[in-house]
């Protein structure tokens, strides 16, 4: 990897909407976000900021004891909340007051009139986030950064953002090897191959649209099933499997239970298709078992991981040797650039 | 009260009103408070109907103006709470000023459009421009919809911000200078945030940096030590000056918000009035649009008790038929005080026609145009409908008990000018007693000042002084041509015709039973029992 390449060079202008997702609380997401904002501003890019709703991570702001952690320059477009438009933060020109409510007031689109700290906010649903991203672009934002909350990796979904920067670090585990393995698992899940067969893709689109399950057979015949809750859909799907089944399209989530139900009843080999990797909820430890049962997972669209950032510090008071963590992560994911934004490398 | 809850439900008035779509929160509120006009308010009702008719005509001729107004209306938010709060002396927030500024902008669009309408509208509907608010909230006259406490709000704010910006710029320069000097002294690169992290393995270097006067230790772990470039005295001075300025700026901003709030509060009532006018105009426009959808006309209001309907249509039933690709047969009916009977074939739409009469009267008194070719009517003090109704039966009354209960209520009202509609009088008891009771009730009501309409199957209730309307029904149809019971409605003539003198109630029950597939044996037997094997 070219050592002189900065994070921003990997992001812009190839991607215009990028989500920053943390593998754990305090994995370094905010540092990463600040760094990208800073690098973007130095290149003269108008940045837009939005978050996938508060997740209580920054309780300090609720009690008004600390400044919000993102520092931006004048002219930044952002989604913030009513209560954060006050004199101790950067002055914000209000562009539009939206109808999305948060515990901190309504979500407001604004533009900073001076450099300073800002509070980023946003609606919960990914469809509305996408809508607001479009609007921020109209207000002049050239690069939109989505601050993805822990429990809302959906912001990484390909239909919301063009790519994702994954922030990971010591906060994920006390054991460095585990940090690397867990991170690798997320990366591998995000990179699951897409389904190629056109016929299966058409059926999948139809299934996602109507919220049904689709079974595609070798001759192209498609059977749609009304599967109301994904919790019990495994059993329903199992009954319909036959020796010609080639694809099972799940419109909901891929959970261990559902997939087990399906695989234990398989009468042929087939691929299981979900919309995108954010719909996959399979812990690393269950993967090998499911693979032995014959699981072949495919997605309609996978997630473009632009870079990984590592944070060697944990707020619980332990650290890893920064160089070692960085190097081992680079070896583990040779195809993705890895940065230590805390150390500035 | 014009309508009791049950009548309102049976007439499906709420479903008609649900088709009335005001756009703004104010219009929706005015709609929710809508009340029918009562006889003493005849003049007001006539004015209202004139206005709706006028607006309906304008919607046709100046549609683009309405499109513009309604587009603006869709963006309006209810900020009455903010304005009211402001008027009690509270200070509004930046977000509230933004919303007010937006409202003013939308008001201007609506007001300008309204002025182009060819109508000398009453004050109540005029959306007054709030030019003065615009002057307060857009001192630079930028025409932008955004809000910020711009520097131009006060010279003091401008001065404070300028000073702070200058101080910040100077501080930034000094910081860069110091970093540069440190980098030169140490021959090491320092990060842009002025920090440098050194591994503890480099003990010599750490010792050196700890002794260096321009660096501070800010963080230490068992692996690393992080230093930050120490600000100079001049920088510290600037930093505290910036904090000071920030504080003064916050005070000045609060002062400006208070001042703006005060200016708005003084004339807050004008803003509230504008929102009220918007609500009134919104609802009136919605009524005009509804009249267009229903192809409705203005009813003519008379003093003497009269009800003359030409080609009236029940809008809800009509819409339902239209969905299934069928047409609604318009109904004529001319009623007067005293009793009118509607007789006719089963499945001939007697009940729907009865409800239509009540609905027309109710719509007119709610200030709505009516779906008909024409309607001349007097205003009613009440409209009362007694018809098959599950609710009373739920209360533990039998079918007959429930009916008699409601008819008793109607009779109590019959001395006032009103409308009493009874579906299938005395349907719930034996024919002999039912007939006698019906005849007695008709005799009683025919002398009363209210307009009574009763549907019945009984023969012989018509007598001099009682008007008689009959459903045309299957009269002119050869029943053997109808092969499928679902086609009955296609051959059914729902028209009401006025019958003079004696007339028997048409006998279609057996024909229809046969069409619907009741075994021939039974229908035959029934015909033999009637002794008229037709």
């Amino acid at each position: 990897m070219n050592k002189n390449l900065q994070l921003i060079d990997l992001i812009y202008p190839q991607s215009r909407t990028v989500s920053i997702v943390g593998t754990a609380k305090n994995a370094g997401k905010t540092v990463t976000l600040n760094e990208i904002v800073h690098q973007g501003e130095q290149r003269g890019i108008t940045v837009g900021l939005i978050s996938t709703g508060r997740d209580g991570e920054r309780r300090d702001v609720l009690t008004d004891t600390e400044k919000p952690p993102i520092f931006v320059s004048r002219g930044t477009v952002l989604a913030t909340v009513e209560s954060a438009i006050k004199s101790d933060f950067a002055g914000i020109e209000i562009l539009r007051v939206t109808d999305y409510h948060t515990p901190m007031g309504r979500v407001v689109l604004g533009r900073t009139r001076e450099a300073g700290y800002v509070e980023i906010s946003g609606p919960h649903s990914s469809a509305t986030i996408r809508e607001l991203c479009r609007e921020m672009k109209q207000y002049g934002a050239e690069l939109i950064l989505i601050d993805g909350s822990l429990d809302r990796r959906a912001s990484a979904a390909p239909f919301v953002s063009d790519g994702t920067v994954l922030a990971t670090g010591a906060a994920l585990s006390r054991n460095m090897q585990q940090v690397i393995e867990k991170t690798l698992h997320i990366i591998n899940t995000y990179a699951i191959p897409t389904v190629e067969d056109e016929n299966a893709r058409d059926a999948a689109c139809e299934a996602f649209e109507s919220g049904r399950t689709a079974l595609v057979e070798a001759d192209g015949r498609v059977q749609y099933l009304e599967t109301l809750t994904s919790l019990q859909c495994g059993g329903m799907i199992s009954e319909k499997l036959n020796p010609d089944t080639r694809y099972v399209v799940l419109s909901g989530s891929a959970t261990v239970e559902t997939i087990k139900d399906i695989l234990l009843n398989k009468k042929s080999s087939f691929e299981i298709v979900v919309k995108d990797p954010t719909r996959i909820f399979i812990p690393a430890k269950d993967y090998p078992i499911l693979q032995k049962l014959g699981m072949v997972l495919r997605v309609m669209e996978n997630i473009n991981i632009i870079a990984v950032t590592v944070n060697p510090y944990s707020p619980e008071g332990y650290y890893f040797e920064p160089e070692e963590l960085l190097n081992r992560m680079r070896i583990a994911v040779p195809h993705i650039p890895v940065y230590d934004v805390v150390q500035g490398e | 009260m014009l309508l009791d809850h049950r009548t309102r439900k049976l007439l499906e008035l709420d479903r008609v009103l649900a088709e009335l779509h005001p756009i703004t929160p104010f219009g929706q509120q005015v709609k929710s408070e809508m009340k029918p006009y009562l006889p003493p308010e005849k003049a007001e009702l006539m004015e209202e109907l004139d206005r709706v008719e006028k607006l309906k005509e304008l919607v046709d001729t100046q549609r683009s103006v309405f499109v513009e107004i309604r587009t603006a209306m869709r963006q309006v938010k209810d900020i009455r709470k903010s304005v009211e709060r402001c008027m009690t002396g509270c200070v509004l927030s930046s977000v509230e000023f933004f919303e007010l500024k937006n409202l003013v902008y939308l008001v201007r669009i609506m007001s300008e459009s309204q002025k182009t309408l060819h109508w000398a509208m009453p004050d109540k509907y005029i959306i007054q421009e709030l030019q003065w608010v615009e002057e307060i909230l857009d001192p630079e006259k930028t025409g932008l919809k955004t809000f910020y406490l711009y520097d131009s709000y006060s010279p003091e704010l401008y001065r404070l911000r300028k000073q702070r910006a200058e101080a910040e710029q100077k501080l930034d320069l000094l910081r860069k200078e110091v970093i540069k000097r440190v980098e030169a002294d140490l021959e090491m690169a320092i990060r842009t945030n002025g920090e440098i992290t050194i591994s503890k393995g480099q003990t010599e270097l750490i010792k050196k940096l700890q002794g260096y006067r321009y660096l501070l230790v800010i963080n230490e772990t068992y692996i690393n030590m992080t230093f930050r470039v120490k600000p100079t005295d001049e920088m510290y001075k600037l930093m505290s000056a910036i904090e000071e300025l920030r504080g003064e700026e916050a005070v000045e901003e609060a002062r400006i918000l208070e001042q703006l709030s005060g200016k708005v509060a003084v004339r807050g009532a004008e803003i509230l009035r504008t929102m009220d006018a918007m609500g009134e105009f919104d609802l009136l426009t919605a009524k005009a649009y509804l009249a267009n959808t229903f192809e409705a006309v203005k009813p003519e209001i008379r003093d003497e008790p009269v009800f003359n309907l030409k080609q009236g249509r029940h809008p809800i039933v009509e819409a339902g038929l239209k969905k299934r690709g069928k047409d609604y047969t318009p109904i004529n009916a001319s009623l007067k005080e005293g009793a009118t009977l509607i007789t006719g074939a089963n499945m001939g739409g007697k009940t729907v026609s009865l409800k239509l009469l009540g609905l027309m009267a109710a719509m007119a008194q709610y200030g709505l145009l009516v779906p008909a070719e024409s309607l001349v009517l007097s205003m009613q003090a009440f409209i009362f409908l007694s018809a098959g109704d599950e609710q009373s039966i739920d209360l533990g009354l039998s079918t007959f008990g429930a009916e008699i209960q409601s008819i008793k209520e109607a009779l109590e009202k019959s001395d006032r000018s009103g409308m009493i509609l009874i579906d299938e009088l005395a349907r719930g008891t034996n024919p002999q007693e039912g007939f006698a009771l019906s005849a007695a009730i008709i005799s009683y009501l025919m002398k009363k000042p209210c307009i009574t309409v009763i549907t019945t199957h009984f023969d012989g209730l018509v007598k001099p002084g009682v008007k008689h309307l009959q459903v045309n029904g299957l009269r002119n149809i050869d029943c053997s041509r109808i092969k499928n019971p679902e086609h009955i409605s296609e051959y059914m003539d729902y028209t009401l015709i006025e019958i003079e003198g004696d007339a028997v109630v048409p006998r279609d029950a057996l024909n229809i039973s046969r069409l619907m597939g009741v075994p021939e044996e039974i229908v035959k037997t029934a015909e033999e029992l009637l002794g008229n094997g037709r």
Side-chain angles (χ1 to χ4, degrees):
Chain A
M1 192 183 72
N2 182 350
K3 269 254 169 187
N4 297 323
L5 221 51
Q6 277 194 301
L7 247 178
I8 191 70
D9 298 312
L10 302 171
I11 293 173
Y12 190 87
Q14 305 89 309
S15 307
R16 297 304 175 104
T17 307
V18 172
S19 59
I20 291 94
V21 174
T23 58
K25 199 186 260 194
N26 293 306
K29 189 185 64 180
T30 306
V31 183
T32 304
L33 187 59
N34 261 315
E35 187 61 27
I36 300 172
V37 169
H38 182 67
Q39 291 179 6
E41 285 166 353
Q42 287 202 321
R43 290 217 183 355
I45 300 164
T46 302
V47 175
L49 291 169
I50 187 167
S51 121
T52 53
R54 304 185 58 80
D55 52 13
E57 249 183 306
R58 300 193 292 267
R59 197 158 290 281
D60 44 347
V61 184
L62 285 171
T63 54
D64 267 354
T65 52
E66 225 172 276
K67 286 188 170 164
I70 311 286
F71 190 89
V72 299
S73 65
R74 183 189 156 102
T76 304
V77 178
L78 76 157
T80 185
V81 278
E82 267 178 276
S83 57
I85 299 177
K86 49 183 173 185
S87 52
D88 22 349
F89 296 175
I92 287 168
E93 178 173 28
I94 302 165
L95 301 172
R96 187 167 80 86
V97 179
T98 72
D99 294 326
Y100 311 116
H101 288 259
T102 76
M104 312 275 295
R106 282 169 296 175
V107 174
V108 172
L109 292 184
R111 183 185 285 119
T112 55
R113 298 282 301 191
E114 58 178 0
Y117 288 97
V118 290
E119 174 73 28
I120 312 174
S121 184
H124 285 315
S125 101
S126 28
T128 9
I129 288 187
R130 192 168 65 153
E131 221 171 87
L132 290 186
C133 286
R134 201 175 298 147
E135 202 175 332
M136 294 203 299
K137 280 180 189 162
Q138 282 168 5
Y139 286 124
E142 294 165 308
L143 169 63
I144 290 172
L145 301 174
I146 304 173
D147 178 1
S149 305
L150 266 185
D151 50 341
R152 294 181 201 286
R153 295 208 189 123
S155 61
F159 104 105
V160 180
S161 57
D162 307 331
T164 294
V165 174
L166 190 67
T168 189
L172 192 56
S173 167
R174 279 181 175 272
N175 176 316
M176 195 193 294
Q177 186 55 33
Q178 281 210 359
V179 170
I180 289 167
E181 279 173 10
K182 283 184 172 178
T183 306
L184 195 57
H185 175 65
I186 295 172
I187 293 173
N188 285 341
T189 306
Y190 279 12
I192 280 177
T194 53
V195 58
E196 298 300 334
D197 184 275
E198 280 305 320
N199 192 29
R201 288 187 74 88
D202 287 348
C205 283
E206 174 71 35
F208 298 145
E209 198 115 308
S210 55
R212 290 177 297 175
T213 294
L215 302 178
V216 186
E217 297 185 0
D219 59 2
R221 233 168 49 85
V222 186
Q223 205 186 151
Y224 293 101
L225 310 178
E226 301 290 339
T227 39
L228 289 174
T229 63
S230 55
L231 287 176
Q232 290 134 18
C233 75
M236 285 178 63
I237 296 165
S238 305
E239 289 170 20
K240 307 282 180 187
L241 295 173
N242 64 45
D244 289 324
T245 308
R246 290 293 173 272
Y247 299 93
V248 175
V249 180
L250 300 176
S251 59
S253 301
T255 61
V256 177
E257 290 71 29
T258 305
I259 291 190
K260 237 183 209 164
D261 269 349
I262 298 172
L263 293 176
L264 290 175
N265 292 285
K266 73 188 179 99
K267 298 180 181 64
S268 61
S269 62
F270 49 75
E271 295 179 353
I272 297 173
V273 183
V274 293
K275 195 169 179 202
D276 62 60
T278 63
R279 309 296 175 110
I280 301 172
F281 296 92
I282 303 172
K285 66 172 172 55
D286 294 306
Y287 239 92
I289 307 164
L290 292 176
Q291 273 170 334
K292 273 198 192 110
L293 286 174
M295 175 180 74
V296 184
L297 259 183
R298 290 289 179 269
V299 292
M300 280 294 275
E301 255 187 290
N302 52 21
I303 292 170
N304 167 26
I305 298 186
I306 299 170
V308 173
T309 63
V310 290
N311 176 5
Y313 300 92
S314 158
E316 281 177 49
Y318 59 89
Y319 323 94
F320 297 145
E321 163 60 52
E323 276 297 312
E324 192 191 348
L325 177 65
L326 183 60
N327 288 333
R328 282 177 66 179
M329 192 62 83
R330 281 180 175 159
I331 292 163
V333 287
H335 54 295
I336 300 173
V338 183
Y339 291 86
D340 179 345
V341 281
V342 180
Q343 302 292 307
E345 284 173 51
Chain B
M1 194 163 57
L2 182 68
L3 302 161
D4 59 28
H5 178 71
R6 201 176 43 196
T7 301
R8 192 181 168 103
K9 195 176 149 205
L10 288 168
L11 289 181
E12 304 201 81
L13 179 67
D14 287 328
R15 286 183 66 186
V16 169
L17 291 178
E19 297 296 313
L20 194 58
H21 302 296
I23 296 169
T24 64
F26 322 116
Q28 280 153 9
Q29 189 181 333
V30 181
K31 180 190 163 185
S32 73
E33 291 162 357
M34 235 169 111
K35 285 196 178 65
Y37 292 81
L38 291 170
E41 301 160 313
K42 183 185 166 213
E44 288 89 339
L45 172 61
M46 286 171 75
E47 280 169 19
E48 173 72 1
L49 291 169
D50 282 343
R51 287 191 291 261
V52 178
E53 187 190 39
K54 176 68 189 172
L55 225 66
K56 175 178 180 276
E57 173 206 315
L58 290 175
V59 167
D60 279 336
T61 54
Q62 292 188 279
R63 184 165 287 269
S64 63
V65 179
F66 286 90
V67 169
E68 191 140 340
I69 293 176
R70 285 160 72 88
T71 305
M73 279 183 165
R74 278 196 186 88
Q75 301 170 58
V76 166
K77 284 187 186 168
D78 188 356
I79 59 162
R80 282 178 292 194
K81 279 223 172 68
S82 297
V83 177
E84 282 160 9
R85 236 163 39 79
C86 172
M87 287 165 75
T88 64
C90 291
V91 176
L92 298 186
S93 71
S94 293
V95 171
E96 288 175 302
F97 277 116
F98 168 83
E99 292 185 314
L100 178 58
K101 197 172 174 184
N102 250 272
L103 178 84
V104 170
Y105 172 85
L106 295 169
V107 162
R108 193 177 59 216
I109 295 174
M110 287 183 236
S111 172
E112 278 167 10
S113 298
Q114 232 186 15
K115 280 179 199 149
T116 64
L117 289 177
H118 305 307
W119 183 34
M121 71 186 85
D123 285 351
K124 184 178 159 188
Y125 301 97
I126 297 177
I127 301 171
Q128 288 285 5
E129 270 194 69
L130 298 167
Q131 187 71 40
W132 59 275
V133 182
E134 221 162 325
E135 276 156 21
I136 294 171
L137 298 183
D138 187 10
E140 286 166 283
K141 296 204 187 346
T142 57
L144 291 175
K145 282 195 282 178
T146 55
F147 183 79
Y148 178 60
L149 283 182
Y150 298 100
D151 297 352
S152 54
Y153 274 108
S154 87
E156 178 66 0
L157 187 65
Y158 173 74
R159 186 184 67 81
L160 289 168
R161 282 185 179 162
K162 195 171 164 225
Q163 271 185 23
R164 180 160 68 88
E166 281 166 5
E168 279 169 346
Q169 209 177 354
K170 203 165 166 193
L171 179 64
D172 197 45
L173 274 177
L174 287 175
R175 185 181 286 130
K176 281 179 183 151
E177 257 172 44
V178 179
I179 290 176
K180 217 179 265 170
R181 185 165 47 190
V182 172
E183 282 182 327
D185 280 357
L186 302 175
E187 295 177 338
M188 290 173 69
I190 289 178
R191 295 206 297 264
T192 40
N193 62 2
E195 292 174 11
I196 182 165
T197 303
I198 308 292
S199 161
K200 280 198 173 161
Q202 298 176 273
T203 37
E204 281 301 305
L205 182 60
I206 293 224
K207 210 173 263 172
K208 180 181 163 194
L209 296 191
Q210 275 174 324
Y212 182 64
R213 55 189 288 223
Y214 292 117
L215 283 182
L216 274 176
V217 176
I218 56 156
N219 193 11
E220 185 177 355
T221 73
Y222 66 91
I223 298 165
N224 295 326
M225 201 170 242
T226 304
F227 298 86
R228 184 184 287 157
V229 173
K230 199 175 151 187
T232 61
D233 285 351
E234 195 186 359
M235 283 166 74
Y236 274 126
K237 259 188 212 148
L238 276 170
M239 280 150 88
S240 77
I242 288 168
E243 269 320 296
E244 184 102 344
L245 285 167
R246 223 176 231 295
E248 284 178 48
E249 194 181 316
V251 171
E252 178 62 10
E253 283 180 357
R255 194 192 63 78
I256 295 171
L257 285 177
E258 194 181 334
Q259 193 188 42
L260 293 178
S261 301
K263 282 186 188 168
V264 171
V266 176
R267 296 173 69 177
E270 289 175 39
I271 305 175
L272 294 177
R273 210 177 307 136
T274 298
M275 288 189 269
D276 287 343
M278 208 184 282
E280 296 290 346
F281 186 79
D282 187 11
L283 183 62
L284 194 67
T285 310
K287 282 184 175 180
Y289 270 73
L290 186 73
N292 254 330
T293 313
F294 287 168
E295 294 172 50
V297 297
K298 185 179 79 176
E300 201 182 315
I301 310 293
R302 292 280 175 81
D303 280 326
E304 68 277 14
V306 64
F307 185 100
N308 251 320
L309 175 67
K310 264 197 199 136
Q311 302 287 295
R313 292 165 285 122
H314 192 298
I316 302 299
V317 177
E318 186 180 29
L321 288 171
K322 212 173 205 170
K323 244 183 227 160
R324 285 178 283 147
K326 291 178 179 167
D327 288 330
Y328 182 91
T329 312
I331 302 296
N332 294 332
S334 106
L335 314 170
K336 57 181 174 50
E337 52 185 316
T340 300
L341 287 186
I342 298 180
T343 63
N346 290 85
M347 298 180 76
K350 290 194 298 293
T351 304
V352 172
S353 294
L354 186 74
K355 288 179 178 174
L356 169 74
L357 301 176
L359 180 65
M360 290 278 145
M363 283 177 73
Q365 277 181 245
Y366 266 89
L368 298 172
L369 304 197
V370 292
E373 199 181 287
S374 72
L375 173 65
V376 178
L377 81 169
S378 50
M379 287 175 79
Q380 312 300 339
F382 69 90
I383 300 171
F384 184 93
L385 173 64
S386 162
D389 168 19
E390 302 300 320
Q391 242 176 7
S392 320
I393 295 169
D394 286 345
L395 290 174
L397 295 169
S398 70
T399 315
F400 185 66
E403 189 195 355
I404 292 308
Q405 173 68 34
S406 81
I407 285 172
K408 193 193 84 186
E409 284 169 36
L411 295 176
E412 283 164 4
K413 296 179 175 204
S414 63
D415 281 327
R416 293 153 61 205
S417 66
M419 200 173 200
I420 295 176
L421 307 168
I422 303 172
D423 192 30
E424 307 254 340
L425 180 55
R427 64 191 172 280
T429 188
N430 66 74
Q432 286 79 17
E433 280 186 289
F435 177 82
L437 189 60
S438 299
I441 288 172
I442 291 166
S443 295
Y444 181 82
L445 286 173
M446 64 185 282
K447 290 172 282 187
K448 294 290 180 181
C450 61
I451 295 174
T452 300
V453 186
I454 296 169
T455 66
T456 185
H457 284 291
F458 294 128
D459 271 336
L461 286 176
V462 182
K463 57 181 170 183
V466 174
K467 230 176 189 307
H468 184 194
L469 300 175
Q470 197 165 73
V471 177
N472 235 343
L474 297 173
R475 191 187 311 251
N476 306 317
I477 308 294
D478 174 6
C479 287
S480 61
R481 274 172 50 206
I482 308 175
K483 299 288 178 237
N484 185 338
E486 279 170 25
H487 293 164
I488 295 173
S489 65
E490 280 167 35
Y491 289 93
M492 184 65 72
D493 182 354
Y494 297 96
T495 317
L496 289 179
I497 46 172
E498 201 165 327
I499 308 281
E500 301 280 352
D502 282 344
V504 288
V505 173
R507 309 265 175 185
D508 284 326
L510 295 185
N511 270 335
I512 288 173
S513 302
R514 180 176 281 130
L515 283 170
M516 304 276 289
V518 172
E520 184 60 25
E521 192 189 333
I522 293 176
V523 181
K524 270 258 160 62
T525 312
E527 281 174 348
E528 281 163 23
L529 284 171
L530 278 174
N532 67 347
R534 62 169 166 155

